[in-house]
Amino acid sequence: MSDLHAHTVAYVRESMIPEQVAPVTERGAVKWMRENLFNGWLSTILTVLSLLVVFWIVADLGPWLMRSVWDAGSLSECRRIWAEAGQPAGACWGVINDRLHQLLFGFYPPHLYWRPVLALVLMIPALGPILYPWVPRKLIWFSAVYPFLAYFLLWGGSIWLPVTAAMGFVAGGAALVLLRPLGTLPATIAAFVVPVIWWIVAAGPFAAVMTQILPIGIEFVRSDRFGGFLISLVIGVSGISLSLPLGILLALGRQSDMVLIKSVCVIFIEFIRGVPLITLLFTASLLLNYFLPPGTSFDLILRVIIMVTLFAAAYMAEVIRGGLAALPRGQYEAADALGLDYWKAQRLIIMPQALKIAIPGIVNTFIGLFKDTTLVVFIGLLDPIGLSNAIRASSDWQGIYWELFIFIGAVFFVFCFGMSRYSMYLERRLRTDHR
């Protein structure tokens, strides 16, 4: 009996049970809602309250948006269209249709709109090799040339002004290479001093002479013709691009063992962080010329870019210092064990890890800087907010509010949301764990 039982009872499964459909509560949208919206009494209450708020907003704004008027030359024309249709007032988007060029370019000459548009288009390949690893690295030369090309396109005038400014950076790079055998510190100091001497002493006469010999240029546009999102992009992109490297240097200087360098960096950071940005903008507008040589005429937008850059760099330095402080001491010891000097250790080991840790804070500073460009309205530069006030002061659009501010807020949201998404992409790309 035992032998028969041994041969007839199977302890190893010979066939698999067919797959069963998961319960309704464990699949699809129902599962997602149960886990994310109704996974407890507090979550359920908050979900219901949120749905009520969304319903209230849609019920209030929906009819207003449904009665939108796009083709109108004034607010009175919008009101006439609503009256003829027997409808209450809705959204008069005709102001955007009528003043879009002004919101984008300010008072930039209309026949020269192609220049800021071309500068914006060229910015895409210039940022490509910096932001994305799959873009050919050979384009990095265009990234270095682009700031001077963009200045020439936007302001115009003689081509020798941006060329002369670029020659200062070339002279600094040459000094760094030639003096490197003497040591890292002398070469680094020379890389900063030589361009400054060139710009202060020789750049002006050289540009004047070359303009007389080869008068190459395009129509000049004064800074007071800039406005709208054009000026926000110019100040924002310039401040973002310049504040990051300057913030890195300030963060390293604050952690330096050299007392003089550390003291200068600490004083600069604490002073800038303790002063409101609007005060620095007034300084750029009214006082900065007093610190320049007599007879010097410095463009207002360039003065604002300098102050915005210094303001953002002080905050950037503290963000990066937080990333440096988060690194374990073993990383510094590993760099010393490999025999790397200070700059190689920072470039190859320390700074890449610190910047990866500080990515959220860095992008947060960038977003805040871009939104703070609206403060230039207080010194007479007509950013989108300033232009909206000018538009509403005209007789055609007096009394219009929401449409302008919704459009301006939406455009700012697109730029800021794009920076936020890129920071999340960068964090995912640089993640070294397997979570």
Side-chain angles (χ1 to χ4, degrees):
M1 185 67 180
S2 60
D3 294 338
L4 179 62
H5 181 73
H7 288 286
T8 57
V9 178
Y11 293 94
V12 178
R13 177 179 295 169
E14 296 179 353
S15 62
M16 298 297 294
I17 299 176
E19 293 183 358
Q20 302 292 323
V21 179
V24 176
T25 57
E26 296 297 330
R27 70 176 188 267
V30 175
K31 177 185 178 182
W32 182 88
M33 293 174 61
R34 187 174 59 84
E35 293 180 350
N36 295 278
L37 301 179
F38 303 99
N39 61 348
W41 65 270
L42 180 59
S43 176
T44 302
I45 293 176
L46 293 176
T47 299
V48 173
L49 290 177
S50 300
L51 290 175
L52 290 176
V53 171
V54 171
F55 175 78
W56 174 75
I57 293 175
V58 172
D60 192 55
L61 292 181
W64 182 73
L65 293 174
M66 293 296 293
R67 296 190 296 270
S68 297
V69 175
W70 289 91
D71 190 12
S74 65
L75 182 58
S76 59
E77 188 174 346
C78 286
R79 290 169 176 166
R80 179 178 57 79
I81 294 174
W82 292 321
E84 292 176 354
Q87 297 177 342
C92 184
W93 299 108
V95 63
I96 306 299
N97 192 28
D98 184 52
R99 300 297 181 96
L100 180 62
H101 63 285
Q102 195 172 0
L103 289 170
L104 294 180
F105 302 105
F107 300 102
Y108 206 87
H111 67 283
L112 298 178
Y113 281 166
W114 65 270
R115 283 163 47 176
V117 171
L118 179 60
L120 180 62
V121 171
L122 292 178
M123 186 173 66
I124 298 174
L127 292 177
I130 300 174
L131 300 180
Y132 298 101
W134 47 266
V135 178
R137 305 306 296 175
K138 294 180 179 179
L139 285 177
I140 198 69
W141 67 268
F142 182 72
S143 303
V145 173
Y146 174 76
F148 309 100
L149 177 61
Y151 175 87
F152 178 66
L153 286 174
L154 293 175
W155 275 270
S158 174
I159 195 175
W160 293 109
L161 181 60
V163 168
T164 304
M167 290 174 64
F169 290 99
V170 174
L176 179 65
V177 173
L178 294 175
L179 297 180
R180 184 170 293 173
L182 301 179
T184 302
L185 184 59
T188 304
I189 294 176
F192 284 96
V193 173
V194 170
V196 173
I197 295 176
W198 166 261
W199 292 326
I200 294 177
V201 177
F206 177 81
V209 171
M210 294 305 299
T211 301
Q212 294 293 330
I213 298 174
L214 292 174
I216 303 173
I218 55 179
E219 182 179 345
F220 177 72
V221 179
R222 301 194 314 270
S223 290
D224 58 2
R225 308 297 297 276
F226 285 60
F229 286 102
L230 172 61
I231 199 169
S232 294
L233 282 174
V234 169
I235 297 175
V237 173
S238 301
I240 288 172
S241 304
L242 297 173
S243 63
L244 180 58
L246 185 57
I248 292 174
L249 294 177
L250 288 171
L252 294 177
R254 184 159 189 165
Q255 291 192 329
S256 174
D257 295 329
M258 301 180 183
V259 177
L260 178 61
I261 294 179
K262 182 175 182 178
S263 300
V264 171
C265 292
V266 169
I267 292 172
F268 174 83
I269 292 172
E270 296 302 331
F271 172 76
I272 294 296
R273 292 172 66 210
V275 177
L277 177 58
I278 187 64
T279 303
L280 297 178
L281 293 178
F282 277 118
T283 301
S285 175
L286 304 174
L287 303 178
L288 191 59
N289 272 342
Y290 289 103
F291 298 97
L292 299 174
T296 302
S297 179
F298 209 50
D299 188 88
L300 177 58
I301 294 181
L302 295 182
R303 281 182 271 163
V304 170
I305 289 174
I306 291 174
M307 285 302 180
V308 168
T309 300
L310 297 179
F311 181 82
Y315 284 86
M316 190 68 64
E318 291 300 283
V319 172
I320 295 172
R321 189 168 70 92
L324 292 171
L327 287 181
R329 184 63 190 171
Q331 297 298 318
Y332 295 88
E333 295 173 351
D336 294 336
L338 292 173
L340 301 178
D341 60 22
Y342 177 80
W343 293 109
K344 285 186 178 180
Q346 293 294 336
R347 182 170 60 89
L348 299 175
I349 296 179
I350 305 301
M351 196 53 64
Q353 299 182 73
L355 292 178
K356 184 179 74 171
I357 295 172
I359 285 175
I362 291 174
V363 176
N364 185 61
T365 304
F366 287 165
I367 292 175
L369 169 63
F370 185 69
K371 292 188 295 185
D372 285 343
T373 57
T374 56
L375 293 176
V376 299
V377 66
F378 293 106
I379 59 172
L381 295 177
L382 293 181
D383 71 311
I385 301 297
L387 279 174
S388 70
N389 296 331
I391 292 172
R392 291 188 297 110
S394 66
S395 58
D396 289 337
W397 300 108
Q398 188 174 13
I400 200 161
Y401 295 94
W402 288 105
E403 293 84 350
L404 282 170
F405 294 132
I406 289 175
F407 174 77
I408 294 170
V411 174
F412 270 102
F413 173 79
V414 169
F415 284 106
C416 296
F417 184 74
M419 286 188 278
S420 175
R421 293 295 97 182
Y422 176 77
S423 82
M424 296 181 67
Y425 155 79
L426 198 59
E427 290 181 53
R428 290 193 301 268
R429 186 168 67 85
L430 298 178
R431 179 176 293 174
T432 54
D433 56 12
H434 299 285
R435 291 181 298 171

